[in-house]
Amino acid sequence: MKLIVTPDTLQATATAAAIIAETLRAEPASVLGLATGRTMEGVYGHLVRAVQSRETSFSEMTSFNLDEYVGLSASDPHSYRHYMQEHLFDHVSPDPARVHVPCGAAADLDAECAAYEKAIADAGGIALQLLGIGNTGHIGFNEPPSLFDTRTRVVELDDETREQNASMFGGDADAVPSRAITMGVGTILDAGRLLLLATGRVKARIIADALEGPVSPQVSASAIRLHHDVTVILDEDAASNLSPETRARAVIG
Ligand code: F6R
C-alpha cells in the first residue's frame, strides 16, 4: 500500500485527480470506477479544469459508479446519477453509452444488480477504482458487516450513514433513503488498482481503524489491505490518528 499524506484538503483532492488524469492520458479508453460524496467534489473540480485545459480527456473512457440510492430516479436532484452529471459528466463530454450508474428506480432491483456486474465484466473489469470512506468504514455503501466476497446488491443503510448524508437532504436524516444499490466489496477488490481518498478530522478515527485495525468485515475499508495495488491519499487531518509507524511509511504529497 502506498500512503500519501498532503498538508491540506486541496492538495489531497488534486493528487487524486492527477492520478485519474494520468490514467486517462496513458490509456484514454480506461475503465474507471467512480465515487460520489462531498470528498469527491474537489476531485471532480480538478478534473473538469484538466479537461478544459486539454490535459486529459474523458471522451473514450468507460465508467461505473459505486452506488445509488434505491427509489431515486436519475433525474432526482438527490440521486448519485444527478450528482455525477452536475460535478463531472456535464462538463467533460463522456460517451453517454459508456457511463454507468446503478438505476435505483429499477422495477427489479436484483436484476439491475446482476446486469451491473455483467456490464463491468463485459467492459473488461475496472482498471482504477476511486473510493471514499464513510464513518461506518463503508466503501461504496458496504455497511458493516460486509463480507469481502460480496457483489453488487441492495443494502440497508446504517443510521450513522443516513446522519452522515443528511446535509445533502436538507439536514433531515429521515429523508435519506434507507436502501441503496452498491458494488460489493468483492466487486471493488477485483479492480486493477484502488485509490482511496479521505479528508478532514471527521475521518481520522475510521481511517486509523481501516489501516491499522483488524482486517475485518466489520470495517469494509480494511479490505483494501488485501489488494496488491492500493494508493491511500489523506490530508493531515484525516491522517491525524495514525500511529507514528504508519506515518513513517507515508510519502509527503
Ligand atoms: C459514495 C460512496 C461512499 C462515500 C463515503 C464518504 O459513492 O461510495 O462510500 O465515498 O460515504 O462520503 P463523503 O465524501 O460525503 O464523506
Side-chain angles (χ1 to χ4, degrees):
M1 185 180 86
K2 181 176 181 188
L3 174 62
I4 301 172
V5 179
T6 67
D8 58 34
T9 304
L10 188 65
Q11 289 190 54
T13 54
T15 303
I19 290 171
I20 296 167
E22 177 51 34
T23 300
L24 289 174
R25 266 196 300 277
E27 176 48 70
S30 290
V31 180
L32 301 179
L34 298 177
T36 60
R38 282 145 299 192
T39 312
M40 301 306 161
E41 290 177 15
V43 176
Y44 296 141
H46 292 297
L47 285 170
V48 168
R49 287 188 288 280
V51 168
Q52 284 165 350
S53 58
R54 298 182 193 282
E55 290 161 51
T56 196
S57 167
F58 281 71
S59 59
E60 291 178 51
M61 66 102 216
T62 295
S63 69
F64 291 91
N65 263 78
L66 283 164
D67 40 24
E68 179 61 281
Y69 291 113
V70 166
L72 301 193
S73 67
S75 59
D76 189 305
H78 295 114
S79 72
Y80 281 165
R81 160 62 85 160
H82 189 275
Y83 169 107
M84 289 307 298
Q85 294 299 141
E86 181 183 350
H87 292 287
L88 186 66
F89 298 150
D90 284 350
H91 314 284
V92 300
S93 309
D95 177 348
R98 288 198 233 129
V99 160
H100 305 86
V101 181
C103 178
D108 184 340
L109 292 169
D110 289 340
E112 171 67 14
C113 294
Y116 206 70
E117 283 283 330
K118 183 171 183 312
I120 293 171
D122 289 350
I126 291 168
L128 174 66
Q129 177 65 58
L130 180 62
L131 298 168
I133 184 170
N135 297 344
T136 63
H138 68 218
I139 46 176
F141 270 142
N142 290 285
E143 304 288 23
S146 285
L147 298 178
F148 292 171
D149 61 358
T150 44
R151 313 301 305 185
T152 302
R153 68 202 188 290
V154 175
V155 293
E156 294 281 335
L157 295 179
D158 272 22
D159 288 345
E160 192 176 347
T161 295
R162 296 174 77 205
E163 288 288 344
Q164 178 198 303
N165 290 355
S167 65
M168 291 175 276
F169 288 80
D172 180 6
D174 289 335
V176 180
S178 59
R179 293 189 302 158
I181 294 176
T182 182
M183 280 187 204
V185 178
T187 319
I188 291 168
L189 291 178
D190 281 350
R193 181 180 182 189
L194 304 182
L195 179 59
L196 185 140
L197 170 68
T199 59
R201 196 162 289 268
V202 69
K203 299 289 169 70
R205 176 195 56 82
I206 196 63
I207 278 292
D209 286 352
L211 301 188
E212 297 177 337
V215 174
S216 155
Q218 294 299 338
V219 181
S220 302
S222 68
I224 69 169
R225 285 153 60 195
L226 302 175
H227 196 280
H228 64 283
D229 189 353
V230 187
T231 302
V232 176
I233 303 172
L234 307 174
D235 64 3
E236 275 294 344
D237 282 343
S240 59
N241 272 24
L242 292 176
S243 68
E245 292 74 29
T246 305
R247 286 297 303 258
R249 297 205 324 260
V251 176
I252 307 305

